[in-house]
Amino acid sequence: MCVSCKVGVEVALVSDEQNGLFASVDALLEQAAAPDDLPAPTERKRLREAAGLSQDQVANALNVRRETVTGWEAGRTEPRPPKRAAYARLLDGLTARFPAHGSPPGVESRLPSGTSQSQAPTQPAAPVVCSVAPPQPVTEHWPVARKTPATPTSDARFAHGPLAVVDGDGTAYCADGLVLDGPLTDLPALVDWVLGEAKLGAGRLHRSGKDADPLVVLTSSAAERLGLPAVLEDRRGLRLPDDHQVVKQLARAQWKLTKRGFGPWARVYRTADGARRQCVQFAVLPWGALDTRSWGTADQLEPAELARLLGTYATRVLTPCGSTAVTGLELMTALRPPTRAVKDPATGNWVSGPMPGSLTEPVECAPPEAPDGHPAVAALYPRFHQRTPDQVLDEEAYQWARPLTDAECTQPYVVGIDVNMAFAAAANRLTVGLSAPVHVHRPIFDAKLPGSWLVDLSHITFDERLPSPFTPHGEPPQGPAWYATPTVAYAVELGHPVTPIEAYLRYEQGPYLDAWYTRLRDAYIATMADLGITPGMPEEQFLAAMAGHHQTDPVPGAVLSAIKATVKGGIGKLRERPRSGGWRPGEPWPALARPTWRPDIRAAVIANARINMHRKMLKLAHHADLYPVAVLSDCAVYASNGPGPLDFLPYRDGKPLPGGFRLGVSPGMVKHEGTQSVLWAEGLMEEHGPDVNIARHIKSGTVLAYDGGE
């Protein structure tokens, strides 16, 4: 036998012997499992969340139901052999990686303080053109996210919470009810106090991320004391002029401002001293920092109540760092940073490297994914060219309505039901592309490949009382059009053949938004619990609680509104349009330089939400002969013989129709949106024409300013 063959045999024997020993050890672990060899139930949950693992992932790995894992983490039940040893092994491994205190070294961003990693001026990579057989899809196997619960008081540096609301007498109201005395002599003194004495801020959500900068909210009287004007004169730029005395004070004290200057949301920073950031965020209430569309009347609350409101949001979601849309996008980066600490094998030093499963660098979008005015569009079409469906990806939410049938006109009511957190639910478990698009001609459709597909779905028809799932306006497509993967996959799910003409595909993929969804879901459920609405409530009790929750504490209501706005705004920011007045079509705009400028991900989420909606409506149509009369985004309106959802939603053996709409608080379930009479609906359509969408007005019953649809 040759030497190399002999070595190979010896290696195989050693490998077999090692595997046998491991199996014996695992058997001993199962036999030795004792009632006290597992961490406490709360620690089990902490370890799973620290690793960014969902209960479904743990359940699948251990071959149990998700409810079983829930029971283990709640302490209601305990695992039995052989599952117990495997569960203990998982927890032991997570404990080694995520101890209760401390974390392995990370690499802080080398960008200036106050500048997020997503704002780094990196050139987008060009799309890859493939003229040969496309590569096979590559899915990395990484934890969904490695995050730690946001517990501001667990770190002595942030003992007083993530933020403070400062009033005109210098009183700083913190999130946990603590009241501090802050200096209001000038802005530099306030910044020094926040960074030196106030102990404000929040810990990172991911071991490779960064701590949240302290937030100082200035009331009108505090802004006046600091020399800030009551109203910003620059209504376009929304910033103080560079020669304003407050800006000069900061410059003399060697503090810097980001490019957006000092406006409703401002960052005051100095270049990072080593790994220690020196940055304070400011929100100026009289300048409209808290948009009423997201926060309601929060800016009218007393400072202590406002601190409680913002502190709750910061603890459950993220310390606000701008509008709820900006915060929603920053939450994605906070949970999945673009870089992590890696050891340089040559020097042994810790350096910054790309994070698997994250959006690590800007990539160029495919031409059909680009919005109007994008450089890629300007290079292909004349300036005022209106792109057709075979030239542009048009994945948007539903805006569809139809006339009532004669049978529906005999019903007394129209009832609207609304899907809870529809876009967040659509982001859950959604595989999205992480890399640049690859252009492929005549591809074979693969539902596991994220991307955009040019395919003709016009041969697929539905009952005219249902909207088409393939267009936002609900009318059937007229020929080839671009679709995101979830839309084409639904056509295949319904049993229809598809033959794509071309596609832009992304072969590096992963569940990028899973951790984002989980955090926002938990924030939503916790806030609904504050309002007295919990999962598992009987339907009648749930509807009654939802009808009266607006009359309870206004703080949870405002937090709830902000969480919903964070979801929708964060998804929208993935395709942020130019905002500068000096921008011209064909020119790039700053958002294109972000790794998180990804219109393809936005399209996939919206497509998935629309398909989820259609799947449920189709189920009701086939099994209960119920058809919607109007659909607007996540709201569907049905004719009913009673005023509530229970009067028309079908039940079998006392349970909701499987696959249909279900009443409940969890994301993806539905609540009562509003009820009006059929006469009201008929009158609205007669007055405003066939294009009116009664789903838009089902809640209030009034049309304050009809816009003809969106």
Side-chain angles (χ1 to χ4, degrees):
M1 180 180 295
C2 66
V3 174
S4 59
C5 293
K6 183 177 181 180
V7 171
V9 171
E10 290 176 349
V11 170
L13 290 174
V14 170
S15 178
D16 290 341
E17 181 181 1
Q18 179 174 284
N19 290 337
L21 291 173
F22 281 178
S24 299
V25 169
D26 288 346
L28 286 175
L29 286 173
E30 292 177 7
Q31 295 175 11
D36 59 350
D37 67 345
L38 295 176
T42 55
E43 178 65 5
R44 302 170 196 174
K45 181 178 180 181
R46 186 196 72 80
L47 289 170
R48 176 181 58 77
E49 292 181 340
L53 299 174
S54 67
Q55 290 182 338
D56 286 325
Q57 288 175 295
V58 175
N60 290 337
L62 299 177
N63 196 24
V64 297
R65 297 185 304 124
R66 180 184 62 80
E67 292 79 2
T68 302
V69 178
T70 302
W72 293 348
E73 292 183 351
R76 294 192 298 268
T77 59
E78 287 292 324
R80 297 179 179 179
K83 310 295 185 185
R84 187 181 185 87
Y87 189 44
R89 185 170 183 169
L90 170 66
L91 296 177
D92 287 343
L94 295 180
T95 301
R97 293 187 181 186
F98 309 101
H101 300 286
S103 61
V107 175
E108 286 285 336
S109 170
R110 296 301 182 233
L111 297 172
S113 292
T115 304
S116 69
Q117 293 167 324
S118 62
Q119 295 170 326
T122 308
Q123 280 296 104
V128 182
V129 178
C130 177
S131 58
V132 296
Q136 294 301 310
V138 177
T139 304
E140 299 281 353
H141 294 281
W142 55 79
V144 172
R146 294 179 178 178
K147 62 177 183 177
T148 54
T151 52
T153 56
S154 64
D155 193 323
R157 297 173 300 162
F158 313 128
H160 297 156
L163 55 88
V165 178
V166 178
D167 207 2
D169 59 357
T171 304
Y173 298 87
C174 300
D176 57 359
L178 181 70
V179 178
L180 305 174
D181 291 326
L184 279 183
T185 54
D186 56 36
L187 203 60
L190 182 59
V191 173
D192 290 335
W193 174 77
V194 170
L195 292 176
E197 302 177 35
K199 297 183 179 180
L200 297 175
R204 64 194 67 187
L205 298 183
H206 189 287
R207 61 186 301 183
S208 297
K210 61 183 181 181
D211 298 330
D213 297 317
L215 170 63
V216 175
V217 182
L218 300 176
T219 65
S220 298
S221 56
E224 182 181 0
R225 282 278 306 274
L226 291 170
L228 298 173
V231 178
L232 279 177
E233 296 181 1
D234 182 2
R235 301 309 302 166
R236 180 182 292 273
L238 290 177
R239 57 187 290 167
L240 288 177
D242 293 339
D243 60 353
H244 192 276
Q245 62 173 352
V246 171
V247 178
K248 291 181 177 180
Q249 288 174 355
L250 291 170
R252 284 195 297 268
Q254 298 183 339
W255 290 104
K256 301 178 182 179
L257 294 169
T258 57
K259 289 183 179 180
R260 64 183 176 185
F262 201 98
W265 289 90
R267 285 181 181 269
V268 178
Y269 73 95
R270 285 179 181 150
T271 303
D273 179 14
R276 183 174 178 272
R277 292 171 57 84
Q278 300 181 79
C279 180
V280 178
Q281 300 181 88
F282 285 93
V284 186
L285 292 182
W287 296 353
L290 299 181
D291 192 327
T292 55
R293 292 171 297 181
S294 301
W295 297 95
T297 58
D299 58 351
Q300 300 176 19
L301 294 173
E302 292 297 320
E305 287 293 274
L306 180 58
R308 180 165 72 95
L309 188 161
L310 294 175
T312 302
Y313 177 89
T315 301
R316 293 176 180 174
V317 181
L318 189 72
T319 302
C321 49
S323 67
T324 49
V326 171
T327 305
L329 193 71
E330 286 298 317
L331 179 63
M332 298 179 193
T333 303
L335 293 168
R336 285 194 180 280
T339 60
R340 63 173 177 173
V342 296
K343 186 169 287 188
D344 186 342
T347 63
N349 296 328
W350 290 96
V351 296
S352 180
M355 172 68 72
S358 293
L359 303 177
T360 59
E361 61 181 1
V363 296
E364 188 63 77
C365 66
E369 298 165 353
D372 291 339
H374 189 277
V377 177
L380 292 174
Y381 308 104
R383 178 172 178 181
F384 297 105
H385 174 76
Q386 294 294 320
R387 288 186 288 173
T388 54
D390 61 340
Q391 297 172 339
V392 61
L393 179 70
D394 187 25
E395 294 284 17
E396 299 295 340
Y398 266 131
Q399 157 66 342
W400 172 86
R402 63 171 175 83
L404 277 69
T405 64
D406 292 342
E408 289 166 343
C409 288
T410 63
Q411 301 287 344
Y413 301 101
V414 284
V415 180
I417 51 176
D418 181 78
V419 179
N420 302 322
M421 302 273 283
F423 294 114
N428 185 29
R429 302 182 186 176
L430 179 66
T431 299
V432 300
L434 303 175
S435 55
V438 177
H439 191 194
V440 184
H441 292 282
R442 297 292 178 183
I444 297 175
F445 178 70
D446 184 349
K448 296 181 180 179
L449 271 179
S452 301
W453 308 77
L454 179 61
V455 60
D456 190 350
L457 301 179
S458 59
H459 61 284
I460 305 175
T461 59
F462 296 86
D463 189 294
E464 62 182 9
R465 292 171 292 177
L466 278 174
S468 169
F470 307 128
T471 60
H473 49 70
E475 298 300 321
Q478 299 302 307
W482 285 97
Y483 302 101
T485 297
T487 303
V488 186
Y490 186 53
V492 175
E493 176 186 324
L494 295 174
H496 299 284
V498 297
T499 308
I501 302 168
E502 59 178 306
Y504 287 90
L505 306 177
R506 291 169 169 84
Y507 293 96
E508 184 183 346
Q509 56 192 258
Y512 175 73
L513 294 173
D514 271 13
W516 185 80
Y517 160 77
T518 299
R519 186 161 180 85
L520 288 166
R521 177 206 62 194
D522 292 348
Y524 174 79
I525 294 296
T527 306
M528 292 298 287
D530 292 342
L531 294 167
I533 304 164
T534 57
M537 296 176 70
E539 285 86 350
E540 296 86 351
Q541 186 179 347
F542 167 73
L543 291 172
M546 287 296 297
H549 81 277
H550 293 291
Q551 283 72 45
T552 58
D553 187 345
V555 168
V559 174
L560 184 67
S561 174
I563 291 171
K564 293 178 180 178
T566 302
V567 172
K568 292 187 176 181
I571 295 298
K573 275 283 184 179
L574 291 169
R575 196 189 67 171
E576 182 178 351
R577 300 294 188 94
R579 294 183 295 170
S580 172
W583 174 81
R584 294 181 179 180
E587 296 177 347
W589 57 93
L592 301 186
R594 290 195 323 245
T596 50
W597 193 83
R598 292 295 301 271
D600 57 299
I601 296 180
R602 173 188 178 273
V605 172
I606 295 177
N608 205 34
R610 193 182 67 248
I611 294 305
N612 288 344
M613 195 80 171
H614 192 274
R615 187 181 286 112
K616 291 179 171 61
M617 293 188 296
L618 186 63
K619 181 71 69 172
L620 263 64
H622 284 174
H623 295 276
D625 198 32
L626 286 171
Y627 294 85
V629 298
V631 185
L632 181 69
S633 186
D634 48 10
C635 175
V637 178
Y638 285 84
S640 172
N641 61 1
L646 290 175
D647 294 310
F648 74 90
L649 287 178
Y651 278 68
R652 289 184 176 178
D653 300 325
K655 296 181 180 180
L657 177 69
F661 294 109
R662 297 185 60 187
L663 289 167
V665 70
S666 299
M669 301 178 78
V670 299
K671 61 181 180 293
H672 183 202
E673 179 68 6
T675 297
Q676 302 295 334
S677 69
V678 165
L679 292 177
W680 168 87
E682 287 286 289
L684 201 65
M685 287 186 281
E686 182 178 348
E687 180 180 356
H688 296 288
D691 292 332
V692 69
N693 191 319
I694 63 173
R696 186 186 304 277
H697 314 290
I698 190 74
K699 188 171 187 177
S700 64
T702 58
V703 184
L704 299 178
Y706 176 63
D707 58 8
E710 293 181 352

